[in-house]
Amino acid sequence: MTSSSTADRDAITASLFDIVAEEAMVDRSAIRPEALLEELGVKSADFVMILMAVEEKFGVYLSVDEELAEAKTVRDLTDIVVTRIQEHRARAGA
Amino acid sequence: MRRVAVTGVGAVSACGLGAEALWRATLEGRSGVREVLFPAMRRQQVTRAAKLPEGLLASLMEGSKPRFQDPVSVLALAAAREAVEQAGLGPDDFGSRCAVVWGTGFGGAPTLNAGYHQFISDPGGRFDPMTVPKVMANAPASWIGMAYGATGPTYCISTACASATQAIGLGTQLIRGGLADRCIVGGAESPLVDAQFQAWESLHVMSATECRPFSAGRDGMMLGEGAGVVVLESAEAARERGAHPLAEVAGYGATSDAADLLRPDVAGAAACMRQALADAGIEPSAIGYVNAHGTGTVANDMTEAEAIRSAFGPASERLLVSSTKPVHGHALGAAGALEFIVTLFALREQTAPPTLNFTAADPRVGIEPVPHRPRIFSAEAALTNSFAFGGVNASLVLTQA
């Protein structure tokens, strides 16, 4: 992985933390990569709101698929979404 | 308790006009999913659905009363025509002993959608004065009642994706309880209009790729549309007029999760299937085929598979399970009726239709559906499931006539 794509990943991840805080109405300071979504009170309806915001900001449509449904921690969630956003950008750029 | 016979079925779906067309398509694995584009959606992400074949709605609208009927009622009437004709019912067979029990999730969505567009784009312009009677959820039921002179009770069930299954179940109970001798039951839905499609897309439960129920890598459902109608009669009423039953509705189960609005629940779904089996008075091993709700969403398929294992116990190992939604789509309030018809054909022909687009087993699902090609079975009964948002579960058991 190049340093630019790592930087890119970090930037998207930071912006996803903001989205999770805003859409799931969680205190931004409580959002750490290892935090459990369940403990943060992120429920199925919050997932939908998060995916809507991701679509608005990054232009990528993500349905609640197997991987997303299995996400347990904030990191699980952001890793999947960041990968999808990067795949989307690679396709769009290709 | 009075036995309940099915004497006629009718369908309009992405597979075309007719119950036979629906069955052949599911059996042969011909999907009715096609491109659906809405110019008003500036950012349409999901672009496919199981839409009626080009020109079919227009041809059905020609024989209708378009100023008074939303497409959802036109579809209902077309399916009813086929079912009543197959049942061989004459003008004297309706009247006060005939009920109509109808399911729909959203009623006249196309008219409502057009009304909002009109209101916003031309607020002072002429508004469709028939909007209310076209949109109301009971319009299809009332049009069917008027078409045949069914003057018994009319009920309309709106429990999202469980609507039509519950309509068939309630119709069965009316006949068993002696409150009607005959019921025209079923469901219709016309959700493929822009604002409603946008609403579904925003919920992020639709797949932007393929609907692949129970499969690894599944990522959502595919919307459908259409109508399914079933003519139910008490076994005596059918016998008296010399009708030939196609099958019997032997059991109905209905439970509620009372838990989460969107997330399905294993206990509620399993209890529902158990209740349907107990109501039919048969052992789980008597069921040869289950037409699953099988939407292709992660949550439904995992929950439904676990519920099937729980309700059927060891009998689940030999059970054939498939979802035919990749063929006719998820037709919401019509889904239960379309799938009841598929289940009826499957039972009569002792053949389970396949689950299209299945790629590989998902170890967490623990049930491998009949993939790719139909499979034959030998059994006296089959079961069909519908599970709805709101935590509403409904199952029907059909037995051979």
Side-chain angles (χ1 to χ4, degrees):
Chain A
M1 189 176 279
T2 65
S3 61
S4 77
S5 84
T6 308
D8 188 32
R9 240 188 129 79
D10 291 346
I12 301 173
T13 303
S15 134
L16 288 177
F17 278 25
D18 293 339
I19 286 177
V20 172
E22 168 92 18
E23 300 296 337
M25 293 182 283
V26 178
D27 186 354
R28 178 67 176 77
S29 62
I31 299 180
R32 289 165 285 104
E34 66 279 11
L36 289 168
L37 294 167
E38 199 182 330
E39 283 179 8
L40 294 175
V42 178
K43 298 219 161 54
S44 59
D46 301 315
F47 257 71
V48 175
M49 303 307 286
I50 292 166
L51 294 180
M52 197 73 237
V54 166
E55 188 180 320
E56 283 161 2
K57 190 164 171 76
F58 299 100
V60 54
Y61 174 85
L62 303 178
S63 61
V64 186
D65 67 3
E66 276 187 280
E67 274 193 279
L68 272 173
E70 289 289 295
K72 297 272 185 290
T73 63
V74 170
R75 181 186 285 116
D76 294 343
L77 175 67
T78 55
D79 278 357
I80 296 163
V81 175
V82 172
T83 303
R84 301 285 168 75
I85 290 169
Q86 290 187 319
E87 283 168 2
H88 175 76
R89 286 181 175 171
R91 270 198 308 275
Chain B
M1 192 164 59
R2 305 208 300 173
R3 290 165 64 175
V4 177
V6 176
T7 54
V9 292
V12 187
S13 69
C15 310
L17 182 60
E20 184 77 26
L22 172 66
W23 168 243
R24 297 309 306 178
T26 56
L27 191 64
E28 293 160 13
R30 277 182 287 106
S31 175
V33 171
R34 38 184 69 88
E35 188 171 63
V36 178
L37 296 175
F38 298 105
M41 281 177 75
R42 293 212 189 129
R43 206 172 40 145
Q44 187 177 352
Q45 307 276 359
V46 176
T47 54
R48 297 163 78 225
K51 189 179 168 61
L52 299 187
E54 189 65 37
L56 177 54
L57 179 62
S59 78
L60 295 174
M61 291 297 285
E62 270 173 33
S64 75
K65 299 179 172 69
R67 295 184 68 173
F68 297 96
Q69 291 170 345
D70 182 271
V72 80
S73 291
V74 174
L75 300 180
L77 282 166
R81 209 152 38 234
E82 180 190 1
V84 165
E85 194 171 305
Q86 180 180 36
L89 295 173
D92 299 333
D93 295 323
F94 300 96
S96 63
R97 295 294 296 164
C98 181
V100 178
V101 188
W102 199 253
T104 187
F106 294 88
T111 299
L112 191 61
N113 198 54
Y116 288 138
H117 275 287
Q118 161 78 19
F119 183 72
I120 289 159
S121 65
D122 183 17
R126 182 171 180 175
F127 203 79
D128 180 355
M130 287 296 124
T131 300
V132 169
K134 282 160 88 173
V135 169
M136 61 189 192
N138 59 309
S142 295
W143 279 109
I144 289 173
M146 288 187 284
Y148 299 104
T151 58
T154 293
Y155 292 117
C156 196
I157 293 186
S158 190
T159 46
C161 314
S163 302
T165 299
Q166 291 202 317
I168 299 169
L170 179 58
T172 299
Q173 291 177 330
L174 290 178
I175 293 172
R176 282 174 166 183
L179 299 167
D181 294 328
R182 206 158 274 139
C183 283
I184 304 175
V185 298
E189 203 74 60
S190 293
L192 301 180
V193 290
D194 51 28
Q196 183 158 165
F197 198 83
Q198 174 75 71
W200 278 101
E201 195 184 278
S202 304
L203 197 56
H204 291 78
V205 292
M206 296 205 293
S207 171
T209 56
E210 285 287 7
C211 170
R212 43 180 102 256
F214 300 105
S215 176
R218 67 191 179 285
D219 65 358
M221 54 169 270
M222 203 66 92
L223 273 184
E225 63 175 344
V229 172
V230 178
V231 173
L232 300 177
E233 300 182 67
S234 73
E236 310 91 87
R239 199 166 38 242
E240 274 168 25
R241 62 181 193 87
H244 300 290
L246 302 169
E248 287 190 14
V249 183
Y252 172 47
T255 63
S256 308
D257 299 340
D260 190 284
L261 194 66
L262 298 175
R263 199 178 319 115
D265 176 60
V266 174
C272 183
M273 285 182 260
R274 273 193 211 102
Q275 200 184 92
L277 291 168
D279 188 41
I282 60 172
E283 293 298 319
S285 58
I287 303 279
Y289 170 63
V290 172
N291 186 287
H293 186 55
T295 55
T297 62
V298 178
N300 175 80
D301 296 1
M302 252 163 68
T303 306
E304 185 170 11
E306 197 179 334
I308 289 172
R309 286 200 306 277
S310 164
F312 284 81
S316 67
E317 311 213 339
R318 289 184 304 106
L319 193 61
L320 299 187
V321 178
S322 70
S323 166
T324 47
K325 282 195 170 72
V327 174
H328 48 68
H330 189 353
L332 310 175
L338 296 178
E339 290 157 30
F340 178 93
I341 292 168
V342 170
T343 309
L344 180 138
F345 273 95
L347 180 66
R348 286 175 61 79
E349 302 198 6
Q350 298 279 289
T351 306
T355 308
L356 288 199
N357 305 328
F358 184 82
T359 51
D362 175 352
R364 291 163 308 168
V365 164
I367 270 190
E368 202 167 324
V370 176
H372 316 307
R373 287 180 202 294
R375 200 175 293 169
I376 57 167
F377 62 88
S378 177
E380 58 171 297
L383 181 144
T384 177
N385 280 333
S386 296
F387 306 128
F389 282 159
V392 181
N393 311 301
S395 304
L396 290 163
V397 170
L398 290 86
T399 52
Q400 289 181 314

